[in-house]
Amino acid sequence: MLDIAIIGAGPAGLAAALRLHQKGLRPRIYETVPELKPLGVGIDVKVYGSKELDELGLLEEFRAISVDAEESIFYNKYGQEIYAELCGKHMGYLYEQRFVHRGYLQMLLYRTVLDRLGADAVVQGVRCTGYINEDESVLLDLEHEDGGREQVRADVVIAADGIKSVVRQQMHPEHSEPVYSGITMWRGTTLMEPFRGGHTILHIGAPQISSMIVYPIADDFEGTGKVLVNWVVEAERDETVEDWNQLGGVEEILSYYDQFELDFLDVQQMLRDAREVYLFPLIRHEPLDTWTDGRVVLIGDAAHAMYPRGGNGACQAIVDGGVLAEKLATIDDVPEALKAFEEQRLQAVNGIVMAHRGEGYEVVRRMVEDRTGGQRFDDIENVLPLTEADEIFSKYHKLVGQERPGWEQGQATGFRTWQLDGGSYRGLV
Ligand SMILES: Cc1cc2nc3c(=O)[nH]c(=O)nc-3n(C[C@H](O)[C@H](O)[C@H](O)COP(=O)(O)OP(=O)(O)OC[C@H]3O[C@@H](n4cnc5c(N)ncnc54)[C@H](O)[C@@H]3O)c2cc1C
């Protein structure tokens, strides 16, 4: 049996371990943190992410810790509706789109790895500092919490060590200088009453000034009877360190929403009531032209760090594990199997990395701001016709690997207004 070492127990490393286990393999994970904790805020798990979790046999447990996404609504900076679409099964996909706390998802994967692979499958408090490729194996340099060092040998090394991957730095020293985009994310959660029934994602404002995304990530959070709502604001700011746990405050961003009005949500109050606020700069990590070096392969953020927009970072990381396990289980030659994985994934995922640097479907908010000169509009159809908006959304969904149901077959020609929870929206049904 192949002796496989995985570096990092984030979503990428844990999902890869489960996929390898499904193929009869038993990898070992080395994680630098001495004790995994449910850190982070929200992740928007796309339909293809739910499919992966179903294939891992985790859909029911995932449903229990997440919120079904029903509708997605876009507003200008005054709170006027620009566009809306249904999500997941409500849109006709076979799988749900769901919102989840990143830490809860990680803990679900972690517990499942311990259950299925055994308690010794995850070694914590051990940091990988480098590797040496040999003809028939790889030597991994590990540093323990107490400063002790050791070398372990493996047939394959899967580096899932995140945005600051040391393995990527060794494999691609020329890519070790990431560039700040000028935009920072304020990421936070607020415990509050549900808005619009508790299944809606909101996209708010003119992205040139600031962009806000809001969605619920847990119902009846910790028995409080309230919903835990995740929000993210993007705006220009001086550079900060690229650290998921860097704390911040909301004072700098409140004024962006002085003119914004919604009858079902006071966004300034939501920001002021935040339980926690983190700052995260959007850093450009250039797409790589290879993820492999002999018997070592990069997956997840280590391979394709992207701006954390729209949940594709986590979902693509989870997809990696399934493809990689399939190749390792079916191709005897390890470097060849890793290359086959790269061949199937690299170009497509690099496309998503680049698309995330642009605006994706969020471009509709900038288009409306530009076309109205930043003023209120009377009729959105005269500013952004529905057919034009639909085209943008359909192209984006296709790019990230979840083509809109019926779109290519030409069945989805009837756009109409639908009724949901008493509201009326425009989009593809
Ligand atoms: C603390 C934290 C909070 C996050 N919060 C959010 C969030 O709120 N929203 C969001 O969209 N994304 C968040 N992310 C990122 C998100 O998890 C990833 O974009 C995505 O899920 C891909 O996961 P990954 O496993 O590739 O990387 P990560 O989730 O970053 O996991 C990498 C893992 O590798 C470990 N590691 C790193 N270096 C080494 C090393 N040298 N040796 C051993 N282990 C190592 C890390 O401790 C970590 O557990 C967060 C990541 C972290 C680490």
Side-chain angles (χ1 to χ4, degrees):
M1 191 191 291
L2 278 178
D3 184 357
I4 303 174
I6 297 177
I7 315 297
L14 293 164
L18 293 173
R19 285 297 200 169
L20 290 162
H21 180 254
Q22 285 179 327
K23 297 285 178 195
L25 297 161
R26 197 180 173 282
R28 174 168 290 191
I29 302 181
Y30 297 96
E31 165 59 50
T32 193
V33 169
E35 188 192 345
L36 281 181
K37 299 211 171 89
L39 297 177
V41 288
I43 289 183
D44 172 2
V45 177
K46 305 297 191 193
V47 290
Y48 70 91
S50 296
K51 177 170 180 282
E52 292 292 317
L53 292 164
D54 188 26
E55 287 171 9
L56 286 172
L58 292 175
L59 194 54
E60 280 312 314
E61 282 165 88
F62 174 55
R63 282 186 178 135
I65 56 163
S66 59
V67 174
D68 182 34
E70 238 172 48
E71 53 174 8
S72 176
I73 313 179
F74 295 73
Y75 296 97
N76 68 2
K77 67 184 177 203
Y78 301 107
Q80 290 183 287
E81 188 189 318
I82 293 172
Y83 186 77
E85 63 172 352
L86 292 171
C87 306
K89 281 191 162 179
H90 308 277
M91 168 65 99
Y93 287 110
L94 289 176
Y95 283 91
E96 299 141 54
Q97 176 180 335
R98 300 192 72 90
F99 306 131
V100 69
H101 191 296
R102 175 208 176 260
Y104 284 25
L105 176 62
Q106 185 186 20
M107 287 301 163
L108 169 62
L109 295 168
Y110 173 57
R111 281 195 312 273
T112 310
V113 167
L114 298 187
D115 282 354
R116 294 183 188 174
L117 280 78
D120 60 346
V122 184
V123 185
Q124 303 197 49
V126 179
R127 182 172 174 271
C128 169
T129 54
Y131 66 88
I132 302 164
N133 253 316
E134 298 185 327
D135 283 347
E136 297 299 323
S137 59
V138 190
L139 268 183
L140 264 187
D141 292 319
L142 300 177
E143 188 179 281
H144 289 260
E145 242 186 308
D146 61 7
R149 291 173 177 275
E150 69 168 317
Q151 281 193 320
V152 299
R153 196 177 290 280
D155 298 319
V156 191
V157 169
I158 299 174
D161 50 343
I163 43 171
K164 291 190 173 165
S165 167
V166 295
V167 177
R168 182 186 63 216
Q169 271 165 32
Q170 180 175 339
M171 201 185 280
H172 295 282
E174 74 284 6
H175 278 274
S176 56
E177 285 302 324
V179 180
Y180 178 48
S181 65
I183 297 170
T184 287
M185 279 185 159
W186 283 254
R187 306 153 49 240
T189 57
T190 304
L191 198 55
M192 54 194 270
E193 295 301 326
F195 60 86
R196 291 190 55 78
H199 299 274
T200 302
I201 178 167
L202 308 174
H203 310 251
I204 293 170
Q208 300 99 311
I209 307 159
S210 78
S211 171
M212 180 190 273
I213 312 284
V214 185
Y215 55 87
I217 53 173
D219 295 324
D220 186 18
F221 184 67
E222 293 179 353
T224 54
K226 295 197 172 167
V227 167
L228 189 65
V229 169
N230 175 82
W231 52 260
V232 179
V233 171
E234 285 185 21
E236 287 184 359
R237 192 188 192 280
D238 295 341
E239 186 167 3
T240 53
V241 288
E242 192 182 27
D243 174 0
W244 290 109
N245 300 319
Q246 183 185 185
L247 293 172
V250 297
E251 296 70 26
E252 289 169 86
I253 52 176
L254 282 175
S255 64
Y256 294 134
Y257 305 100
D258 281 345
Q259 293 179 298
F260 186 78
E261 264 181 54
L262 278 185
D263 55 8
F264 58 85
L265 178 67
D266 180 342
V267 296
Q268 286 184 325
Q269 193 60 45
M270 178 186 72
L271 296 177
R272 278 195 215 97
D273 289 346
R275 300 167 78 230
E276 61 207 333
V277 181
Y278 299 104
L279 291 182
F280 188 77
L282 294 183
I283 301 278
R284 282 191 199 129
H285 293 273
E286 290 310 319
L288 303 173
D289 54 11
T290 178
W291 297 341
T292 62
D293 176 13
R295 292 170 170 269
V296 181
V297 64
L298 306 171
I299 65 167
D301 279 2
H304 41 74
M306 57 184 85
Y307 291 176
R309 290 171 171 161
N312 286 305
C315 293
Q316 291 295 330
I318 292 173
V319 172
D320 283 345
V323 178
L324 183 56
E326 176 68 30
K327 302 300 179 199
L328 283 169
T330 53
I331 302 173
D332 286 342
D333 183 79
V334 167
E336 228 175 78
L338 302 186
K339 275 286 168 212
F341 158 73
E342 176 182 297
E343 203 151 292
Q344 187 167 329
R345 297 281 297 145
L346 183 134
Q347 215 178 347
V349 186
N350 280 351
I352 300 173
V353 172
M354 295 311 286
H356 274 228
R357 286 195 193 171
E359 296 155 300
Y361 52 48
E362 303 291 354
V363 72
V364 294
R365 292 189 280 142
R366 182 177 56 72
M367 288 164 77
V368 168
E369 174 77 2
D370 290 348
R371 291 177 188 183
T372 57
Q375 301 302 309
R376 290 173 190 271
F377 54 77
D378 292 328
D379 182 355
I380 184 64
E381 196 57 27
N382 297 331
V383 181
L384 180 72
L386 182 57
T387 44
E388 187 182 357
D390 266 323
E391 187 81 35
I392 291 167
F393 278 73
S394 296
K395 276 190 183 148
Y396 179 80
H397 288 306
K398 186 172 180 181
L399 173 81
V400 302
Q402 49 173 52
E403 204 164 309
R404 270 176 155 182
W407 180 255
E408 282 297 295
Q409 294 76 20
Q411 297 156 5
T413 48
F415 302 108
R416 63 181 170 87
T417 297
W418 74 84
Q419 297 290 324
L420 196 70
D421 291 339
S424 103
Y425 311 95
R426 306 159 1 113
L428 174 70
V429 181

